[in-house]
């Protein structure tokens, strides 16, 4: 099968490129190590429609909704927000919006509205046509072969997410397909998929060399900066038992987005910036004093929670 130059067919490649450029996003978020709050708003508050909605709220209504959110973050109701409470809230926010996005996608992918997304419907939504690759026939073109590999991996994940005998995915299964890191029964699949890609010698582990991929050290030159960064991540973030290789559980911490770490960093950032009396926790008064900062943080999903009753409604 020969693919023509169709931009949609490169969708998965673009997604992988986006994941690989996470470091670029980090640099935009923290240029020269300085936090850019306007980047937060630009990146996650949304487009112009969401910005317009935000500015339409009166100061009184913003104040009211923000106080309601603060109350919900304060799990022990002691009047202060700790690092742990802020981190837990941010992680819950991440998961909530991931699930909401998957539910919206489910409706878009379900072309015949039968409450099930078939593999053909997924292809049509992604690529405007059904694509069927031969699993055993590699393509000559390197870019097309990369896409074939990614497409086959997607098909395997789709089949794994499907727990019943029906040909398509129901909503819960579709969420497992889109966010396997959030569903227990997909964990083993995620690990095995990562091992197939990175465990070149088949020993069930990923060594530092396998972790670095195709990089080959030039003995006449020093390692480039990005290699030093990746080595540091391998040694200090992932290889918990310091045996020089990643076992399946350590591998999982690498391949699955670490929302916990991101949430903890943001919680610490908020406390560092807003804690006026240096007690390492935030009172309602301190937050209201720094309302603009709080509304450009992940704690309120960059202001988005002020428009989502799930977060500010009293019955959450």
């Amino acid at each position: 099968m020969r693919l023509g130059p169709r931009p949609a067919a490169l969708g998965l490649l673009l997604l992988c490129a986006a994941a690989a450029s996470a470091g670029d996003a980090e640099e935009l978020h923290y240029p020269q190590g300085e936090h850019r709050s306007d980047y937060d708003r630009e990146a996650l508050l949304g487009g112009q429609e969401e910005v317009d909605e935000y500015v339409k709220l009166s100061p009184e209504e913003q104040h009211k909704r923000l106080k309601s959110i603060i109350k919900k973050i304060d799990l022990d109701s002691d009047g202060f927000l700790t690092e742990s409470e802020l981190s837990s809230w941010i992680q819950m926010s991440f998961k909530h919006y991931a699930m909401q996005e998957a539910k919206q996608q489910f409706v878009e992918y379900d072309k015949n509205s039968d409450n099930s997304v078939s593999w053909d419907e997924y292809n049509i939504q992604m690529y405007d046509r059904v694509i069927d690759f031969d699993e055993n026939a590699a393509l000559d073109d390197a870019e097309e072969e990369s896409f074939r590999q990614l497409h086959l991996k997607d098909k395997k994940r789709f089949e794994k997410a499907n727990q019943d005998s029906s040909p398509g995915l129901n909503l819960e299964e579709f969420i497992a397909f889109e966010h396997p890191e959030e569903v227990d029964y997909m964990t083993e699949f995620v690990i095995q998929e990562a091992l197939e890609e990175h465990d070149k010698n088949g020993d069930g582990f990923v060594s530092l060399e396998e972790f670095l991929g195709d990089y080959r050290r030039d003995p006449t030159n020093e390692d480039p900066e990005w290699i030093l960064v990746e080595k540091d991540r391998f040694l200090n973030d992932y290889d918990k038992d310091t045996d020089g290789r990643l076992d399946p559980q350590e591998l999982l911490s690498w391949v699955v987005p670490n929302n916990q770490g991101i949430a903890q960093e943001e919680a610490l950032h908020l406390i560092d910036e807003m804690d006026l009396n240096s007690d390492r926790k935030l009172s309602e008064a301190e937050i209201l004093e720094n309302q603009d900062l709080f509304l450009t943080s992940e704690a309120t999903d960059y202001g988005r929670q002020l428009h989502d009753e799930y977060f500010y409604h009293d019955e959450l």
Side-chain angles (χ1 to χ4, degrees):
M1 176 180 176
R2 181 74 178 174
L3 291 177
R6 295 173 64 96
L10 300 178
L12 290 179
L13 290 175
L14 293 176
L15 286 174
C16 286
S21 64
D24 296 336
E26 183 73 8
E27 175 61 25
L28 288 172
H29 195 178
Y30 291 91
Q32 287 79 52
E34 296 295 325
H35 183 263
R36 266 189 64 209
S37 61
D38 59 329
Y39 172 85
D40 296 341
R41 190 185 297 274
E42 293 165 7
L44 293 177
L45 181 57
Q48 189 59 44
E49 181 178 346
E50 285 79 5
V51 174
D52 290 344
E53 182 185 359
Y54 173 78
V55 299
K56 286 178 183 176
L57 285 178
S58 67
E60 292 77 15
E61 183 62 21
Q62 285 189 24
H63 196 79
K64 177 182 176 182
R65 294 187 185 184
L66 181 57
K67 290 180 71 173
S68 178
I69 290 172
I70 293 169
K71 183 178 179 181
K72 291 177 176 63
I73 299 174
D74 183 15
L75 295 176
D76 60 8
S77 302
D78 68 347
F80 298 95
L81 306 189
T82 63
E83 175 195 339
S84 176
E85 289 171 331
L86 284 165
S87 178
S88 296
W89 178 266
I90 293 168
Q91 290 178 69
M92 183 272 291
S93 173
F94 286 158
K95 184 170 184 177
H96 170 73
Y97 283 119
M99 297 303 101
Q100 291 298 102
E101 181 182 17
K103 290 176 183 178
Q104 181 179 346
Q105 288 177 322
F106 182 82
V107 174
E108 296 170 355
Y109 283 57
D110 182 15
K111 301 300 182 183
N112 62 3
S113 301
D114 65 347
N115 294 316
S116 177
V117 173
S118 68
W119 178 242
D120 285 355
E121 287 176 321
Y122 172 78
N123 275 263
I124 290 170
Q125 176 67 23
M126 288 290 290
Y127 315 113
D128 297 324
R129 71 197 195 282
V130 177
I131 298 175
D132 185 22
F133 286 111
D134 185 340
E135 293 186 17
N136 302 311
L139 301 177
D140 294 333
D141 182 88
E143 186 177 86
E144 291 178 358
E145 174 60 15
S146 293
F147 173 71
R148 185 184 78 93
Q149 294 288 343
L150 289 168
H151 190 265
L152 290 173
K153 286 182 179 180
D154 257 13
K155 187 175 182 180
K156 286 177 63 177
R157 191 170 81 252
F158 189 95
E159 293 169 349
K160 178 64 177 179
N162 190 351
Q163 288 196 295
D164 54 37
S165 57
S166 65
L169 305 182
N170 60 33
L171 177 58
E172 289 72 23
E173 292 167 338
F174 184 77
I175 289 173
F177 170 68
E178 288 290 326
H179 296 282
E181 72 279 1
E182 300 289 355
V183 182
D184 289 342
Y185 77 84
M186 295 293 288
T187 299
E188 186 61 30
F189 173 83
V190 171
I191 292 173
Q192 288 304 314
E193 188 177 55
L195 284 172
E196 287 176 12
E197 180 174 355
H198 301 286
D199 179 21
K200 302 303 183 183
N201 63 6
D203 67 350
F205 299 88
V206 173
S207 66
L208 176 59
E209 291 73 20
E210 291 168 333
F211 177 81
L212 295 176
D214 295 331
Y215 174 73
R216 296 294 178 268
R217 188 176 188 277
D218 182 352
T220 64
N221 293 309
E222 294 184 357
D223 287 331
E225 179 66 24
W226 73 269
I227 284 293
L228 298 177
V229 170
E230 290 303 301
K231 285 183 176 179
D232 182 74
R233 290 173 61 211
F234 181 93
L235 296 171
N236 297 311
D237 294 342
Y238 304 132
D239 185 18
K240 299 299 185 184
D241 59 9
T242 66
D243 65 351
R245 60 185 187 176
L246 305 185
D247 63 33
Q249 285 304 312
E250 292 170 332
L251 184 62
L252 192 64
S253 69
W254 171 36
V255 298
V256 172
N258 186 8
N259 286 340
Q260 180 179 358
I262 296 171
Q264 288 175 339
E265 288 181 8
E266 181 68 6
L268 285 171
H269 166 72
L270 287 172
I271 291 175
D272 287 342
E273 294 294 324
M274 301 171 66
D275 178 20
L276 301 178
N277 63 0
S278 301
D279 62 355
R280 304 306 297 164
K281 53 189 177 181
L282 302 180
S283 66
E284 180 181 279
E286 287 172 324
I287 293 171
L288 296 178
E289 177 74 17
N290 295 275
Q291 178 172 318
D292 288 344
L293 175 61
F294 203 69
L295 292 176
T296 54
S297 76
E298 286 162 339
T300 61
D301 199 29
Y302 313 90
R304 187 178 179 185
Q305 291 176 10
L306 268 69
H307 307 284
D308 189 336
E309 288 191 17
Y310 179 86
F311 292 97
Y312 69 77
H313 196 272
D314 288 341
E315 295 179 1
L316 175 64

